[in-house]
Amino acid sequence: MTDGWDGENTDERDEPLADLAAEVESRRTHEPTANRREFEDAFTEVTVEDVDVDDLWADLEAEDSGDLVVSAPREESENDRDVRMIPKTTCHGCPQFAEPPTVRCTHEGTDILAMVDTEQFRVADCPMVVDEDTPLNE
C-alpha cells in the first residue's frame, strides 16, 4: 500500500481527500479528445438571423460609455410628472439607485413609482429616460 501522494492507486481510500486526489488523477490521464467531445456536447449550435453589425457596435459603445439613457414612451400623468415604464436593468445599472434591499432612486426629484413586473419599473422624472424619437447615439 502507498500513501496516495506518489500518483499510484491505493486499495484503501481512508486518506484525507483521497477521493478528490483520485478524481484529479483520473482527469489528468483522461483522453483529451473525450474532454473535447464533452465540451462540444455542452453547447447547441443554432442558426440566428442576420445581425446589423453597426447597430450592435453602437449598442456596445453606448453601454461602455457609461450612458444609461433609455428611450420610452411617456404615460399620462395626473400631476404633470414625466412618467415612463423602463427596464429595471436601467435602474440597477444607475449610480443613483439606492443600495439593496431598498428599491428607490436617490436622484433628487426622481421616483420609482412601481415595479410593474419582474422586468420593468414605472418611474417619474428620471433624467436617464428620453422620448422614443430622441436618437440615443448623439
Side-chain angles (χ1 to χ4, degrees):
M1 181 172 88
T2 64
D3 64 5
W5 293 105
D6 58 4
E8 294 181 27
N9 291 334
T10 59
D11 294 326
E12 296 180 30
R13 294 287 178 198
D14 293 336
E15 300 91 11
L17 304 175
D19 292 336
L20 179 60
E23 184 178 335
V24 169
E25 185 61 30
S26 171
R27 286 184 184 180
R28 279 191 200 142
T29 60
H30 193 67
E31 180 185 347
T33 57
N35 279 342
R36 182 162 179 85
R37 274 193 305 273
E38 289 173 16
F39 177 77
E40 289 173 353
D41 289 344
F43 297 92
T44 304
E45 186 174 333
V46 296
T47 304
V48 295
E49 297 176 19
D50 289 337
V51 175
D52 185 341
V53 176
D54 294 332
D55 284 346
L56 180 61
W57 278 111
D59 289 345
L60 289 172
E61 287 171 353
E63 285 181 23
D64 288 344
S65 70
D67 295 336
L68 300 171
V69 177
V70 64
S71 65
R74 194 180 289 240
E75 292 183 8
E76 292 289 324
S77 174
E78 295 177 11
N79 53 5
D80 273 348
R81 293 193 78 187
D82 183 1
V83 177
R84 300 171 192 244
M85 296 243 278
I86 62 170
K88 75 176 184 182
T89 55
T90 302
C91 291
H92 285 283
C94 181
Q96 299 292 327
F97 192 68
E99 290 294 317
T102 305
V103 178
R104 164 177 94 71
C105 183
T106 61
H107 183 269
E108 188 175 330
T110 302
D111 293 307
I112 297 174
L113 303 173
M115 183 173 184
V116 178
D117 56 33
T118 60
E119 300 299 319
Q120 293 182 315
F121 285 142
R122 189 166 171 253
V123 298
D125 302 321
C126 177
M128 300 298 169
V129 185
V130 296
D131 291 324
E132 286 183 304
D133 57 351
T134 303
L136 295 177
N137 295 332
E138 286 188 350

